[in-house]
């Protein structure tokens, strides 16, 4: 049952689709809504275009590998449906706030953010957040709604409708594909904030706990999981040069051998804004401080760092996060 939000007039309705044949929620519901409400030929930035945000069908359940939040819209980068997944705790945040899915249309009259709290949806002004990066925006909204709030935000690129702009959830978990940050920007939507701690319901909590315990116990001995949990995290490339096609540079105009030096783990020191924590249900990483106080300065100093470290220009993000999928 998605919440249908019209940013133009601030109206919110709850739509019951559960009786329909083939109703599965998650991405499938999003694609169905997109085909119904975004006509062929409609510009991705048109206020009528649908933006769908949801916990995956199992997203937010406290077990390993079930941490995906879905962002779906007509992509300004490709002109067809674009679906991006954000790992991390945001999916649990949506469910905890009392919503499984949001179907967002319209365009706010001024820069705004959407608040999901205990099953209620409301639109709030966010003009003071204009121009801020995603980390600073998250700082400001958590200061307003509590440290337990989960935030999906866009930065200046999304506001300016850069066609490959990302949405970043909870500091370091991006929905990085298809330019969906620009879709939020076209709707004057700076962020989505989720407040609440209602756990996701499951049919057999005991069986789920046993499965989760098995995977947590197996993770330390798994080479892939160990790599993802080690510095600098699975969001950063280190070691061998990537194969052609894996590394895109110069605004995606070149995908072959870039000629850039491949960074080592030590090269990422001081660049991460989040260096601890894990997705719901996964094995926690080693305890160490999370450098949230560095978020604003990291955004200000990002361009200087890229000048001093040429390889840093290969990524749109200087954050590092860990998650076992």
């Amino acid at each position: 049952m998605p919440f249908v939000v019209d940013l133009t007039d601030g109206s919110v309705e709850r739509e019951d689709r559960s009786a329909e044949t083939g109703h599965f929620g998650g991405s499938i519901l999003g694609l169905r809504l997109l085909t119904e409400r975004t006509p062929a030929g409609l510009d991705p930035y048109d206020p009528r275009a649908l933006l769908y945000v949801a916990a995956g069908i199992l997203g937010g359940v406290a077990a390993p590998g079930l941490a995906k939040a879905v962002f779906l819209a007509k992509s300004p980068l490709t002109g067809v449906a674009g679906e991006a997944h954000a790992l991390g705790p945001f999916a649990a945040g949506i469910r905890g706030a009392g919503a499984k899915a949001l179907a967002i249309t319209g365009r706010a009259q001024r820069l705004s953010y959407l608040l999901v709290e205990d099953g209620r949806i409301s639109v709030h002004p966010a003009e003071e957040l204009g121009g801020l990066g995603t980390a600073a925006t998250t700082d400001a909204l958590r200061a307003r709604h509590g440290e337990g709030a989960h935030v999906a935000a866009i930065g200046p690129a999304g506001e300016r409708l850069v066609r490959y702009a990302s949405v970043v959830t909870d500091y370091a978990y991006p929905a990085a594909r298809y330019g969906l940050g620009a879709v939020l920007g076209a709707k004057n939507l700076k962020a989505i904030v989720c407040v609440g701690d209602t756990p996701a319901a499951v049919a057999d909590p005991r069986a789920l706990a046993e499965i989760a315990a098995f995977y947590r116990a197996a993770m330390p001995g798994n080479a892939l999981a160990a790599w993802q949990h080690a510095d600098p995290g699975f969001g950063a490339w280190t070691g061998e040069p990537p194969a052609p096609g894996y590394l895109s540079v110069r605004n995606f105009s070149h995908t072959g051998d870039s000629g850039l030096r491949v960074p080592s783990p030590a090269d990422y020191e001081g660049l991460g804004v989040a260096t601890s924590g894990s997705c719901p249900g996964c094995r926690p990483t080693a305890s160490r401080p999370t450098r949230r106080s560095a978020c604003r300065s990291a955004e200000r100093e990002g361009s200087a760092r890229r000048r001093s470290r040429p390889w840093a220009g290969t990524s749109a993000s200087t954050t590092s996060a860990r998650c076992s999928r």
Side-chain angles (χ1 to χ4, degrees):
M1 293 194 295
F3 285 96
V4 181
V5 183
D6 187 338
L7 294 173
T8 302
D9 59 15
S11 63
V12 179
E13 298 179 1
R14 194 161 191 177
E15 208 172 86
D16 187 357
R17 310 287 296 248
S18 60
E20 295 180 3
T21 303
H23 173 85
F24 296 103
S27 298
I28 295 176
L29 173 60
L31 288 168
R32 174 175 289 183
L33 291 171
L34 189 67
T35 58
E36 291 175 355
R37 304 186 185 207
T38 302
L42 191 68
D43 190 285
Y45 294 152
D46 191 291
R48 294 171 292 167
L50 179 79
L51 168 66
Y52 178 79
V53 182
I57 193 67
L58 294 175
V61 174
L66 304 180
K68 287 188 176 180
V70 177
F71 291 78
L72 176 66
K74 186 173 185 179
S75 167
L77 194 60
T78 67
V80 296
E83 179 181 344
H85 294 164
L87 303 177
F90 188 73
I94 296 175
R95 286 183 181 269
K100 292 181 181 179
L102 307 172
I104 304 167
T105 61
R107 184 178 190 272
Q109 295 299 311
R110 53 184 175 175
L111 194 64
S112 303
Y113 70 92
L114 203 62
L115 176 63
V116 186
E117 184 172 14
D118 296 327
R120 300 184 302 273
I121 315 289
S122 53
V123 182
H124 300 264
E127 293 163 305
E128 74 282 3
L129 304 178
L132 293 183
T134 57
T137 298
T138 302
D139 281 343
L141 291 171
R142 284 191 170 182
R144 188 175 304 175
H145 295 288
E147 281 298 308
H150 296 275
V151 180
I154 61 171
E159 292 180 45
R160 296 172 184 172
L161 309 188
V162 175
R163 292 182 183 271
Y164 50 86
S166 301
V167 183
V168 179
T169 69
D170 291 332
Y171 290 106
Y173 302 91
R177 300 175 185 269
Y178 298 111
L180 302 188
V183 177
L184 269 75
K187 295 186 175 302
N188 252 343
L189 186 60
K190 180 66 174 177
I192 300 171
V193 182
C194 299
V195 179
D197 56 4
T198 302
V202 296
D204 191 337
R206 181 176 178 179
L208 180 66
E210 291 174 353
I211 294 171
F214 170 82
Y215 277 98
R216 289 194 197 102
M219 280 181 184
N222 181 278
L224 177 60
W227 169 65
Q228 291 178 336
H229 279 267
D231 287 329
F234 87 117
W237 194 283
T238 61
E240 297 179 0
Y246 277 83
L247 181 64
S248 300
V249 297
R250 301 182 183 91
N251 276 346
F252 290 84
S253 64
H254 183 73
T255 59
D257 182 4
S258 66
L260 299 176
R261 178 177 65 84
V262 178
S264 69
D267 288 322
Y268 288 92
E269 291 181 4
L271 292 177
V273 299
T275 58
S276 67
S278 62
C279 299
C282 285
R283 179 175 66 88
T285 57
S287 176
R288 55 167 52 180
T290 299
R291 292 194 289 271
R292 289 178 184 167
S293 59
C295 294
R296 292 188 180 91
S297 60
E299 289 170 346
R300 289 194 299 267
E301 296 168 8
S303 59
R305 286 172 176 161
R306 284 190 289 273
R307 287 194 297 271
S308 64
R309 304 185 185 191
W311 50 264
T314 64
S315 172
S317 172
T318 57
T319 62
S320 173
R322 300 179 181 83
C323 175
S324 293
R325 288 184 281 185

